[in-house]
Amino acid sequence: MDAEITIIGAGVIGLAIAEKVSESNNNVFLLEKHLKFGQEISSRNSEVIHAGIYYPKGSLKAKLCVEGKRLLYDYCKKFDIPYYNCGKLIVATSEEELSIIEAIRQTAIDNGVDDLIVVEKEEIAVMEPNIFALRALFSPSTGIVDSHSLMKQYETNTINNGGQIVYSSEVIAIKKVNGGYEITLSYADNKEYTFSTRAVINSAGLTSDRISEMAGMQDDNLKILFCKGEYFRLKTPKNKLISRLIYPVPVHNLEGIGIHVTIDLGGGVKLGPDVTYLQSNIYDYTVDPLKQEAFFRSARKFLPFLEFDDITPESAGIRPKIQKPGDPVRDYYIMEESRRGCPGFINLIGMESPGLTSSIAIAQYVREIVDNTF
Ligand SMILES: Cc1cc2nc3c(=O)[nH]c(=O)nc-3n(C[C@H](O)[C@H](O)[C@H](O)COP(=O)(O)OP(=O)(O)OC[C@H]3O[C@@H](n4cnc5c(N)ncnc54)[C@H](O)[C@@H]3O)c2cc1C
């Protein structure tokens, strides 16, 4: 075999896996179709270090988020990655939402997040004097991180471990052969190159379902649906009126967690993302200016100072959803595929939020599969 382990996709998850797997394996390759890392989901998100509050008990999303948050804070300290443990308030703005606050606290406790604090109106007025809330849950372990610096560090450590990262190389075919797989790449000016590898790790984000299909695994239950999240920016100087993340209580099936307010390390404030399933899987990063009214109305419930013209269209990201609209929440699909006739092939599909937060924990999880399989 030309390669031992081939990882497809240099987003935050593929890079974290490459770093972890190259610590104990030689001949590790990471393939990426773009010129550099993180050009798709990983550079179009909220950069929030999630606490692990909402996800169903026992799910991979819950487990890997809670574990990943701790590992991520440690990693940021160790490698000087910019981050800010600013905390977050989940706010109830109506009587009906008060009971949801208690339900969220219970889910969080089930997930091992036991540091949430219920804060009443008077305390909220001290913490965030410019917002409106009847009651809130404060999550002290939530934060934000510079995802670009994080990915750069994963890349550097992979290279230092002896791993090889190959950019501008798109995987276009995968064939099962004796003892592994043959992978065909398309690179500069549509030239093709085929090599063999003992194992494949598919972390191709928005097209991870197609990579799995290339290896012969068809599964309608794992089809990715592109689900856009649009953001609006809060203009200066009103961005200075907020000092931590402010979230409304989430919708019931976690398609999204409501139009919320995130701050970034540069002091900017964003509203969003909303949730729009796209009609087809196209890379549509436009922000619809007509949504300004809906964003304004949603955020105004807890930002009483907000006026219509205070926000402006910003950016959009696309979630790799395997959960169909209206369906109950789906967990990550992380699987070594021997049972589907593809030994040594590890699929990661549906790696939506909190994938950034969980990246190191996901990488450890995958490395355990690798260690136990080979
Ligand atoms: C709007 C939004 C907000 C979010 N907010 C947060 C948040 O605040 N906190 C959090 O923890 N998570 C958040 N997430 C989730 C997080 O961003 C993702 O879980 C994570 O970035 C997924 O990383 P990835 O490596 O799987 O995907 P990607 O970053 O998309 O990487 C996959 C890579 O595979 C490459 N690729 C695909 N096909 C091929 C091929 N055939 N050959 C070679 N390369 C290929 C792509 O070019 C891409 O670079 C958010 C996501 C969205 C969309």
Side-chain angles (χ1 to χ4, degrees):
M1 292 285 146
D2 301 314
E4 187 67 11
I5 297 172
T6 300
I7 301 158
I8 305 170
V12 73
I13 293 177
L15 286 160
I17 293 171
E19 177 183 337
K20 202 42 82 196
V21 165
S22 61
E23 282 170 2
S24 55
N25 292 275
N26 294 325
N27 222 359
V28 172
F29 285 80
L30 172 58
L31 308 176
E32 169 54 52
K33 67 180 173 191
H34 291 294
L35 280 168
K36 45 190 176 175
F37 62 72
Q39 297 299 292
E40 297 200 349
I41 316 172
S42 300
S43 53
R44 294 176 164 274
N45 58 46
S46 307
E47 300 192 299
V48 172
I49 304 177
H50 286 296
I53 297 171
Y54 308 108
Y55 312 104
K57 184 180 176 182
S59 64
L60 280 177
K61 280 185 178 168
K63 181 177 163 297
L64 297 173
C65 184
V66 172
E67 210 172 290
K69 166 187 65 175
R70 182 181 51 77
L71 292 166
L72 184 55
Y73 277 122
D74 289 350
Y75 191 92
C76 289
K77 283 178 205 144
K78 180 167 176 192
F79 292 105
D80 264 338
I81 311 294
Y83 75 98
Y84 176 35
N85 181 196
C86 52
K88 138 170 145 178
L89 282 172
I90 304 165
V91 295
T93 55
S94 66
E95 290 293 328
E96 305 86 74
E97 289 177 355
L98 291 177
S99 60
I100 307 181
I101 288 270
E102 188 43 43
I104 298 171
R105 203 172 76 92
Q106 198 49 55
T107 311
I109 291 170
D110 290 347
N111 288 345
V113 183
D114 51 11
D115 59 353
L116 297 191
I117 303 160
V118 177
V119 280
E120 302 295 340
K121 247 179 147 177
E122 302 69 35
E123 295 161 88
I124 298 168
V126 176
M127 293 171 85
E128 289 289 344
N130 299 303
I131 70 165
F132 170 77
L134 294 173
R135 189 177 293 154
L137 265 185
F138 177 56
S139 164
S141 67
T142 302
I144 49 176
V145 61
D146 175 352
S147 56
H148 183 87
S149 303
L150 179 67
M151 288 189 274
K152 182 81 200 143
Q153 193 64 52
Y154 290 159
E155 183 197 48
T156 304
N157 290 358
T158 300
I159 294 166
N160 289 343
N161 290 342
Q164 305 210 39
I165 307 184
V166 187
Y167 289 112
S168 303
S169 297
E170 179 170 3
V171 174
I172 54 167
I174 303 174
K175 191 174 141 200
K176 203 163 81 172
V177 293
N178 204 7
Y181 297 86
E182 235 171 48
I183 294 195
T184 302
L185 296 174
S186 162
Y187 65 107
D189 297 328
N190 291 330
K191 291 196 192 88
E192 287 186 12
Y193 176 75
T194 300
F195 70 98
S196 59
T197 180
R198 200 156 75 88
V200 179
I201 299 173
N202 167 20
S203 57
L206 290 164
T207 49
S208 49
D209 57 343
R210 300 225 311 259
I211 296 288
S212 181
E213 284 168 12
M214 282 181 201
M217 290 172 276
Q218 306 284 339
D219 192 342
D220 282 347
N221 204 31
L222 291 175
K223 279 256 178 257
I224 285 179
L225 305 169
F226 280 26
C227 180
K228 186 156 79 156
E230 290 166 57
Y231 293 94
F232 278 71
R233 182 157 288 276
L234 180 59
K235 293 181 193 164
T236 53
K238 287 199 175 163
N239 59 322
K240 300 195 172 64
L241 298 177
I242 301 291
S243 60
R244 46 175 75 72
L245 309 173
I246 317 285
Y247 283 51
V249 294
V251 292
H252 69 99
N253 67 349
L254 295 185
E255 271 177 9
I257 38 183
I259 299 226
H260 47 268
V261 175
T262 57
I263 60 173
D264 62 38
L265 289 160
V269 173
K270 283 199 294 192
L271 306 186
D274 68 347
V275 180
T276 311
Y277 279 89
L278 298 178
Q279 295 295 335
S280 61
N281 284 4
I282 43 162
Y283 292 80
D284 169 9
Y285 294 122
T286 54
V287 181
D288 181 358
L290 295 175
K291 287 189 171 175
Q292 186 155 344
E293 181 70 30
F295 272 73
F296 165 68
R297 281 182 188 284
S298 284
R300 169 89 187 202
K301 286 186 196 150
F302 53 94
L303 303 182
F305 59 79
L306 200 64
E307 285 172 58
F308 182 77
D309 288 332
D310 289 335
I311 58 173
T312 179
E314 215 252 359
S315 61
I318 300 175
R319 305 172 181 90
K321 285 268 187 204
I322 47 177
Q323 174 183 338
K324 298 185 180 63
D327 275 4
V329 61
R330 286 278 300 268
D331 203 0
Y332 291 147
Y333 181 83
I334 307 178
M335 194 65 68
E336 196 278 329
E337 297 285 12
S338 287
R339 92 196 148 91
R340 293 210 281 166
C342 290
F345 197 108
I346 300 171
N347 265 322
L348 292 95
I349 303 178
M351 305 308 290
E352 56 173 325
S353 194
L356 168 66
T357 309
S358 317
S359 51
I360 304 174
I362 292 170
Q364 282 190 353
Y365 186 82
V366 169
R367 170 148 156 208
E368 272 169 37
I369 299 177
V370 169
D371 290 349
N372 292 334
T373 312
F374 310 118

